[in-house]
């Protein structure tokens, strides 16, 4: 596991988490009970753990980044 101690974060956004190191970090946090929002710049098809979600958008576009933040805020309030 990447993070040996339990973190106090209940919700976390991991950018670039559709593959590679980002996915491993997101999976590790989810396994420890965090509510993880997986993110990538383009749409990929992959399964995310229960109590997690996947969002994709280009964060270099301010409109899309603002929309993503609004969606995440709604998701993490549940």
């Amino acid at each position: 596991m990447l993070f040996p101690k339990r973190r106090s974060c209940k919700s976390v956004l991991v950018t670039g988490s559709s593959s590679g190191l980002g996915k491993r970090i997101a999976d590790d946090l989810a396994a420890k009970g965090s509510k993880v929002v997986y993110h990538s710049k383009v749409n990929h098809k992959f399964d995310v753990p229960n109590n997690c979600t996947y969002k994709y958008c280009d964060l270099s576009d301010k409109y899309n980044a603002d929309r993503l933040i609004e969606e995440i805020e709604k998701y993490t309030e549940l």
Side-chain angles (χ1 to χ4, degrees):
M1 294 205 156
L2 294 173
F3 304 107
K5 294 183 180 179
R6 174 122 170 95
R7 301 293 182 210
S8 62
C9 296
K10 292 185 180 181
S11 300
V12 62
L13 166 66
V14 181
T15 60
S17 56
S18 63
S19 64
L21 184 58
K23 181 149 182 2
R24 183 156 179 220
I25 291 169
D27 289 344
D28 189 59
L29 291 168
K32 288 185 169 40
S34 293
K35 187 184 250 188
V36 178
V37 178
Y38 288 70
H39 165 268
S40 69
K41 187 175 182 178
V42 296
N43 192 9
H44 295 280
K45 300 292 183 193
F46 65 97
D47 293 326
V48 296
N50 290 338
N51 203 33
C52 297
T53 191
Y54 169 64
K55 301 289 183 183
Y56 66 95
C57 82
D58 182 356
L59 294 177
S60 67
D61 181 300
K62 183 174 175 8
Y63 172 77
N64 285 332
D66 289 344
R67 184 181 53 90
L68 177 66
I69 290 168
E70 289 175 7
E71 289 178 20
I72 291 170
E73 286 174 343
K74 289 177 188 173
Y75 170 73
T76 56
E77 290 175 0
L78 298 176

